[in-house]
Amino acid sequence: MPSPHQKPPGELSPSLEHYLRSIYDLQEEKGYARVTDIAEKLGVAKPAVSTALKTLRTSGLVDHRVYESVLLTEKGKERAKSVSGKFSILLQFLTEVLGVEEEQAFVDACLMEHYVSGNAMGRFLDLLRFFEDKDHQGALEAFHDFRRSCESEVTCPTCSFHCDVSVKPPRIEIGS
């Protein structure tokens, strides 16, 4: 069984999934994706894009010839839509339900999209739709106002585990 940070054999790495999503986004936005555009969007060098494209081409996810546009195959488009959909659901959940600031939510959604199961994604979407229903708007507003309170900075009596979230980082004295 893979660890929580490993993909099963044959699966794409998070980095390659980012390339796929970027190509998909560029094609949706501009109608095409070039190596230069992909490099700029991801903040990487063009040789890194070329290396990734070779792997994606070998996997049957993109069509690309040197100095030409990059095109997603049907298989690549399906995979990119899946990654993009996960990202969108997670971003919406983090911002609209949890109230995470957009910049941080973007980073968190980018990290989570690669590891969350389809089952969990379905439940995230269910919860989003639940709160979109006007009968449940009061519950969402109540949740937005709610903040847990722990009696201790080390452990929370309502948790059965050590609560890293409530622990304040140790104060470091410099030059003592």
Side-chain angles (χ1 to χ4, degrees), residues 141-155:
E141 290 169 17
F143 175 71
H144 283 165
D145 293 338
F146 176 80
R147 293 290 182 259
R148 73 182 173 288
S149 60
C150 295
E151 296 173 10
S152 164
E153 290 181 357
V154 178
T155 59

Side-chain angles (χ1 to χ4, degrees), residues 36-136:
T36 304
D37 300 322
I38 298 164
E40 186 177 304
K41 185 171 182 71
L42 292 173
V44 298
K46 289 191 275 186
V49 175
S50 295
T51 300
L53 289 176
K54 285 178 188 172
T55 303
L56 293 172
R57 187 175 57 239
T58 301
S59 299
L61 300 170
V62 299
D63 286 325
H64 176 249
R65 290 186 181 88
V66 179
Y67 304 114
E68 292 184 20
S69 293
V70 179
L71 298 172
L72 292 170
T73 63
E74 283 305 312
K75 180 180 169 184
K77 191 179 291 186
E78 185 178 305
R79 184 65 179 271
K81 281 182 178 181
S82 172
V83 174
S84 188
K86 283 182 176 183
F87 174 78
S88 296
I89 291 167
L90 289 165
L91 183 63
Q92 184 180 4
F93 176 79
L94 290 166
T95 55
E96 295 180 18
V97 175
L98 298 185
V100 176
E101 291 181 29
E102 196 162 336
E103 191 173 311
Q104 183 63 54
F106 185 90
V107 171
D108 291 344
C110 276
L111 293 169
M112 294 169 66
E113 72 186 346
H114 309 289
Y115 299 106
V116 68
S117 71
N119 186 33
M121 284 307 306
R123 295 304 290 162
F124 277 120
L125 189 55
D126 289 345
L127 191 57
L128 281 168
R129 298 301 175 253
F130 176 83
F131 285 128
E132 285 175 354
D133 185 281
K134 33 185 168 169
D135 291 339
H136 303 110

